[in-house]
Structure formats: C-alpha cells, structure tokens
Amino acid sequence: MKNIEHIGIAVKDLEISNTMFEKLLGTASYKTEEVASEGVKTAFFKMGESKIELLAALNDDSPIAKFLEKRGEGIHHIAFAVGDITSEVQRLKSEGFTVLNEKPKKGADNKLVVFLHPKGTNGVLIELCQEIV
Ligand code: CO
C-alpha cells in the first residue's frame, strides 16, 4: 500500500457539493466523470498527492443511492494507491480480508480498482487503486 490516493464522499447533489467543495478547498474540481457501470457520477479535487472524490448516484439502483438511503451523506470509502493490484489482492486475501471484486475493474480517474468488504475493516469500505498506464 502506498499513499492515500483519495477519500470518497457520497453526496446527494453533485453540483451543489461541487460548488461547496470548490469554496472549501479553494480550488476547482479538475474533472467530473460518469462511471455508468458503477452507477455513479464523480467529481475530483486534487490537493498535493491526495484527492477528494465526490460520488453521486446516477440512478436508484446505484450503490451510492443505497448508501445515501442507509447512512446519509458522508465518507464512503478510503482509497489507497498500490503498485501491483493483483499481488496486493492476493496478499490481503491471505491475511483474511474479504475482497468484493477479485478481478480489478475499471474505476473513475483512469484506475483499476478493487474493494474490500467493510465488515473486515472496522466498517470502512477500502478501495485499492492502480493507475492505468
Ligand atoms: Co474511489
């Protein structure tokens, strides 16, 4: 595991939150992106080597819609950058963590991503991400 690549925050309205975070951070989001396969639209902010990812639901079936319903707005996941996502997944499995998708999938912001089940990580959804080069 390398640095915290980003923190994902679930929001109800991407435009409203985008505006608020621009004021909060004093910088504009550098990209917005829809990931239809995940049912999310995202906005990214960069500060140094860390980012904030705002996540809003694209539809009612979106995992973000379900999260908002259950827990309301707030921190959704913490993402760690990894150099080799496949070997990191093997290492974490051998340590007993529950991997939600063993095959890395294409996430937002040009990344391959794997998620760990929050029940094994003190209730925090963990994302591993590897830059696609
Ligand atoms: Co993320």
Side-chain angles (χ1 to χ4, degrees), residues 22 32 34 42 56-57 67 94 105 120:
E22 286 183 350
T32 57
E34 287 190 6
T42 64
F67 181 91
S94 72
K105 56 187 178 183

mmCIF file of all heavy atoms in Angstrom, residues 22 32 34 42 56-57 67 94 105 120:
data_model
loop_
_atom_site.group_PDB
_atom_site.id
_atom_site.type_symbol
_atom_site.label_atom_id
_atom_site.label_comp_id
_atom_site.label_asym_id
_atom_site.label_seq_id
_atom_site.Cartn_x
_atom_site.Cartn_y
_atom_site.Cartn_z
ATOM 1 N N GLU A 22 -15.471 23.418 -3.866
ATOM 2 C CA GLU A 22 -14.598 24.409 -4.512
ATOM 3 C C GLU A 22 -14.320 25.561 -3.559
ATOM 4 O O GLU A 22 -13.195 26.058 -3.470
ATOM 5 C CB GLU A 22 -15.232 24.919 -5.814
ATOM 6 C CG GLU A 22 -15.153 23.881 -6.916
ATOM 7 C CD GLU A 22 -15.695 24.357 -8.262
ATOM 8 O OE1 GLU A 22 -16.311 25.441 -8.324
ATOM 9 O OE2 GLU A 22 -15.502 23.622 -9.237
ATOM 10 N N THR A 32 -14.925 15.929 -13.876
ATOM 11 C CA THR A 32 -16.115 15.194 -13.486
ATOM 12 C C THR A 32 -16.235 14.046 -14.477
ATOM 13 O O THR A 32 -15.810 14.155 -15.628
ATOM 14 C CB THR A 32 -17.396 16.059 -13.535
ATOM 15 O OG1 THR A 32 -17.523 16.588 -14.850
ATOM 16 C CG2 THR A 32 -17.345 17.199 -12.538
ATOM 17 N N GLU A 34 -18.625 10.290 -15.355
ATOM 18 C CA GLU A 34 -19.654 9.295 -15.059
ATOM 19 C C GLU A 34 -19.067 7.916 -15.263
ATOM 20 O O GLU A 34 -18.388 7.675 -16.265
ATOM 21 C CB GLU A 34 -20.856 9.474 -15.994
ATOM 22 C CG GLU A 34 -21.674 10.680 -15.654
ATOM 23 C CD GLU A 34 -23.005 10.743 -16.405
ATOM 24 O OE1 GLU A 34 -23.340 9.772 -17.123
ATOM 25 O OE2 GLU A 34 -23.687 11.762 -16.270
ATOM 26 N N THR A 42 -19.012 11.407 -10.676
ATOM 27 C CA THR A 42 -17.968 11.784 -9.731
ATOM 28 C C THR A 42 -17.403 13.157 -10.081
ATOM 29 O O THR A 42 -17.480 13.612 -11.219
ATOM 30 C CB THR A 42 -16.805 10.773 -9.777
ATOM 31 O OG1 THR A 42 -16.203 10.831 -11.069
ATOM 32 C CG2 THR A 42 -17.276 9.360 -9.509
ATOM 33 N N ALA A 56 -21.993 10.806 -6.564
ATOM 34 C CA ALA A 56 -23.447 10.924 -6.532
ATOM 35 C C ALA A 56 -24.028 9.767 -7.350
ATOM 36 O O ALA A 56 -23.363 9.201 -8.213
ATOM 37 C CB ALA A 56 -23.887 12.268 -7.105
ATOM 38 N N ALA A 57 -25.268 9.414 -7.040
ATOM 39 C CA ALA A 57 -25.917 8.294 -7.722
ATOM 40 C C ALA A 57 -26.382 8.706 -9.115
ATOM 41 O O ALA A 57 -26.899 9.806 -9.310
ATOM 42 C CB ALA A 57 -27.103 7.803 -6.904
ATOM 43 N N PHE A 67 -26.346 3.582 -0.346
ATOM 44 C CA PHE A 67 -25.544 4.107 0.771
ATOM 45 C C PHE A 67 -26.211 5.345 1.373
ATOM 46 O O PHE A 67 -26.332 5.472 2.592
ATOM 47 C CB PHE A 67 -24.134 4.453 0.259
ATOM 48 C CG PHE A 67 -23.205 4.994 1.322
ATOM 49 C CD1 PHE A 67 -22.388 4.152 2.064
ATOM 50 C CD2 PHE A 67 -23.148 6.361 1.574
ATOM 51 C CE1 PHE A 67 -21.534 4.659 3.037
ATOM 52 C CE2 PHE A 67 -22.302 6.875 2.558
ATOM 53 C CZ PHE A 67 -21.494 6.022 3.283
ATOM 54 N N SER A 94 -4.799 -13.510 1.671
ATOM 55 C CA SER A 94 -4.082 -14.441 2.553
ATOM 56 C C SER A 94 -4.074 -13.935 3.990
ATOM 57 O O SER A 94 -3.931 -14.708 4.930
ATOM 58 C CB SER A 94 -2.657 -14.692 2.047
ATOM 59 O OG SER A 94 -1.865 -13.546 2.267
ATOM 60 N N LYS A 105 -11.450 -3.919 -11.577
ATOM 61 C CA LYS A 105 -12.326 -3.342 -12.587
ATOM 62 C C LYS A 105 -11.935 -1.889 -12.843
ATOM 63 O O LYS A 105 -11.254 -1.271 -12.045
ATOM 64 C CB LYS A 105 -13.790 -3.467 -12.171
ATOM 65 C CG LYS A 105 -14.108 -2.864 -10.820
ATOM 66 C CD LYS A 105 -15.543 -3.201 -10.435
ATOM 67 C CE LYS A 105 -15.855 -2.648 -9.049
ATOM 68 N NZ LYS A 105 -17.193 -2.997 -8.581
ATOM 69 N N GLY A 120 -14.765 -6.314 7.405
ATOM 70 C CA GLY A 120 -13.453 -6.741 7.900
ATOM 71 C C GLY A 120 -12.510 -5.593 8.183
ATOM 72 O O GLY A 120 -11.354 -5.805 8.563
#
